[in-house]
Amino acid sequence: MTPEAYMKHYHCTACSADSCPLTDQEVRPACGCAAENDDASITPPVTCCCKSSMVEALRLLCGTTLGSLVDFDTFFFLTDALAVGSPLSTPKDDTDNICNPSAGLRRLSPCNCDLLDVTGTAYFAVPGNDCAALENLDQLSLCAIKAVAFQVMEGECPRDCDDSNYHRAVRAIRRAIQAEGGTTGACASCQAHCDCDDCCCAAGVLTELSSRNLSRQATLTVGPLVLRKVSVLGSVGSVLVLASECLNRFYLVCADSIEALG
């Protein structure tokens, strides 16, 4: 399926001003809302630390430039217990220990801001174990997602070319983060970084990773997921945005779920 066909197929009806509060009036492939909601003006209180930041981070993919570059059928999602879209391998010296991501990102569930519509198989998040917990997955709880990985499509220009799809995506993400007012290195208060009062540990992690060195590289763990020498592009709320040129891959990581830094 071509990017144009994909975008056309998965675009849904744009929301009106009275519809789902987490969607915009702009038509978006992963953020649309097809139904009206009379009570949508009442935003429910945030009950988990990373959900609203992850929603805003996923919305970065809905921009015109980035949306045309992302392969929406090669996603990976990590929860405390599940690896969705790919089993995890035993960590070695690779950039990450994701095998072959093949989950599909579709959209936020229409007017249900707690669920993400996806496709794929859910494996137990145990490195070296490819036992499936649930096949033909349809939805994921946004509160449960700790990390997301996704690919951009290969282009005619090699990855090390300045006009490659990878570098175009990096520039688009940085512009989008700046436009959204995301953090890109400046220290900020816990309140500015956190989605709730119980995740203030995220502020220190965000500050450390965004300003620790000139190379802008980081090595870290998120539960069983290991990321080595990935580039720090910035953050959206309490979600770090990372990238790997050698894999053509990007990562959205909840800062409060990071357990160790290398």
Side-chain angles (χ1 to χ4, degrees):
M1 182 180 292
T2 66
E4 293 78 9
Y6 182 92
M7 299 285 281
K8 182 177 180 181
H9 181 73
Y10 286 108
H11 269 247
C12 63
T13 305
C15 294
S16 69
D18 296 326
S19 58
C20 188
L22 285 189
T23 56
D24 299 331
Q25 294 183 26
E26 178 184 358
V27 180
R28 298 169 181 268
C31 310
C33 166
E36 295 283 332
N37 183 350
D38 293 337
D39 298 323
S41 59
I42 304 175
T43 303
V46 176
T47 56
C48 54
C49 284
C50 198
K51 184 180 79 170
S52 64
S53 291
M54 186 60 75
V55 168
E56 294 306 312
L58 289 170
R59 278 182 171 157
L60 296 181
L61 312 184
C62 303
T64 302
T65 299
L66 196 56
S68 68
L69 300 173
V70 172
D71 185 346
F72 287 91
D73 290 315
T74 57
F75 270 69
F76 169 86
F77 303 92
L78 179 72
T79 73
D80 283 335
L82 301 174
V84 179
S86 169
L88 293 169
S89 63
T90 303
K92 298 178 182 178
D93 293 329
D94 301 322
T95 300
D96 65 35
N97 58 329
I98 301 170
C99 294
N100 295 298
S102 60
L105 172 62
R106 296 300 176 250
R107 60 178 179 175
L108 289 172
S109 295
C111 291
N112 185 336
C113 301
D114 295 323
L115 297 172
L116 195 66
D117 286 353
V118 301
T119 61
T121 298
Y123 302 89
F124 291 109
V126 179
N129 186 339
D130 61 357
C131 182
L134 181 64
E135 297 182 355
N136 302 319
L137 198 67
D138 293 322
Q139 294 179 313
L140 279 175
S141 168
L142 275 161
C143 280
I145 296 174
K146 307 302 182 185
V148 177
F150 61 92
Q151 308 270 160
V152 293
M153 293 174 287
E154 295 283 358
E156 295 181 2
C157 183
R159 292 180 196 174
D160 57 357
C161 168
D162 188 58
D163 199 39
S164 68
N165 283 353
Y166 172 81
H167 287 291
R168 290 175 61 199
V170 167
R171 292 192 292 268
I173 288 173
R174 283 178 170 155
R175 286 195 300 269
I177 288 176
Q178 185 175 12
E180 293 291 334
T183 58
T184 56
C187 296
S189 66
C190 174
Q191 188 66 30
H193 284 311
C194 293
D195 289 335
C196 64
D197 293 335
D198 296 328
C199 63
C200 290
C201 58
V205 172
L206 285 166
T207 301
E208 172 69 14
L209 289 177
S210 62
S211 61
R212 63 186 300 178
N213 54 47
L214 295 176
S215 68
R216 304 280 294 174
Q217 288 193 333
T219 296
L220 54 92
T221 66
V222 185
L225 175 64
V226 180
L227 305 179
R228 300 179 188 273
K229 296 182 178 179
V230 289
S231 298
V232 180
L233 302 185
S235 59
V236 178
S238 57
V239 170
L240 272 165
V241 185
L242 310 166
S244 167
E245 183 176 0
C246 68
L247 294 178
N248 232 23
R249 191 171 293 171
F250 294 82
Y251 310 88
L252 307 175
V253 176
C254 292
D256 61 289
S257 297
I258 295 174
E259 298 174 348
L261 304 177

